[in-house]
């Protein structure tokens, strides 16, 4: 059966590419080391994946279908699903970020159809908090040298705003509108984390 690819990402510690298929309920791992010929390892899933994210060890894949209310956690070593996550509103997992919160690793993701940022405990795979925002977001970024996470509200009437979240309290501590009336989106940090680079959408 032929299928389109919904997402593909490099997994450097695994020396492989990981691909989710749009028309088949599978994830493919394609190794690229020089010791073995190119082959495909297929992992069967309960549902299609439209986007996904890795944990920091590249052992787990966290994925979601845009039409479902549950995300899936796939153990790539075992080749099987190990947990479901309560994720709705089309999470944009490719834009997810991780950090250490109260001694545990958490992941945060915006949603394309909900004015929410979900915070997920990556040990229990439970959503520990939903942060309400001014609208659905597209990009979320942080850096190891900053205590803050930045997220836009790309969709909806407040697209000029960007929220700044304190990673130690999981609270929005500031909302900025760098160019009122114009879409503010896609934050990236400089290498040392001292500056955040923010895109303002304009015809010029």
């Amino acid at each position: 059966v032929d299928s389109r690819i919904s997402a593909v990402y490099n997994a450097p510690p695994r020396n492989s590419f990981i691909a989710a298929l749009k028309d088949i309920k599978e994830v493919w791992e394609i190794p690229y080391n020089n010791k073995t010929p190119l082959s495909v390892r297929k992992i069967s899933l309960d549902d299609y994946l439209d986007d996904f994210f890795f944990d920091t060890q590249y052992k787990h894949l966290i994925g979601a279908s845009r039409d479902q209310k549950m995300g899936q956690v796939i153990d790539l070593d075992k080749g099987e699903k190990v947990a479901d996550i309560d994720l709705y509103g089309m999470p944009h997992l490719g834009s997810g970020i991780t950090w250490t919160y109260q001694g545990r690793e958490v992941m945060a993701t915006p949603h394309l159809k909900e004015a929410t940022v979900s915070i997920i405990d990556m040990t229990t795979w439970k959503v520990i908090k939903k942060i309400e925002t001014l609208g659905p977001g597209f990009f979320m970024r942080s850096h190891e040298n900053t205590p803050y996470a930045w997220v836009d509200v790309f969709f909806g009437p407040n697209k000029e705003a960007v929220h700044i979240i304190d990673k130690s309290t999981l609270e929005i501590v500031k909302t900025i509108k760098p160019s009122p009336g114009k879409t503010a989106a896609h934050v990236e940090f400089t290498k040392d984390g001292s500056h955040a680079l923010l895109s303002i959408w304009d015809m010029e």
Side-chain angles (χ1 to χ4, degrees), residues 51-71:
D51 200 7
F52 62 88
F53 183 86
F54 298 112
D55 63 5
T56 54
Q57 293 79 35
Y58 287 83
K59 178 182 179 181
H60 293 97
L61 177 154
I62 303 94
S65 168
R66 298 283 162 82
D67 299 325
Q68 302 297 322
K69 294 184 178 180
M70 300 297 290

Side-chain angles (χ1 to χ4, degrees), residues 70-87:
M70 300 297 290
Q72 300 183 64
V73 181
I74 312 302
D75 186 316
L76 291 172
D77 292 339
K78 295 179 179 178
E80 62 185 28
K81 187 183 80 170
V82 293
D84 291 310
I85 305 178
D86 181 19
L87 288 175

Side-chain angles (χ1 to χ4, degrees), residues 132-198:
E132 293 186 6
T133 62
L134 290 175
F138 197 59
F139 292 100
M140 188 168 189
R141 293 290 188 268
S142 188
H143 188 283
E144 62 182 359
N145 292 333
T146 177
Y148 303 110
W150 295 48
V151 64
D152 59 41
V153 288
F154 189 86
F155 304 99
N158 299 305
K159 58 188 179 181
E160 63 187 6
V162 175
H163 295 305
I164 301 174
I165 297 168
D166 187 323
K167 293 189 291 188
S168 67
T169 64
L170 309 184
E171 300 286 346
I172 295 173
V173 293
K174 191 166 188 176
T175 298
I176 62 173
K177 297 180 180 180
S179 188
K182 297 178 181 179
T183 300
H186 198 166
V187 172
E188 295 287 354
F189 281 84
T190 55
K191 185 175 181 180
D192 64 358
S194 62
H195 292 77
L197 310 178
L198 177 64

Side-chain angles (χ1 to χ4, degrees), residues 105-118:
E105 188 175 20
V106 297
M107 171 190 174
T109 180
H111 294 256
L112 303 179
K113 288 189 175 181
E114 296 286 343
T116 303
V117 169
S118 293

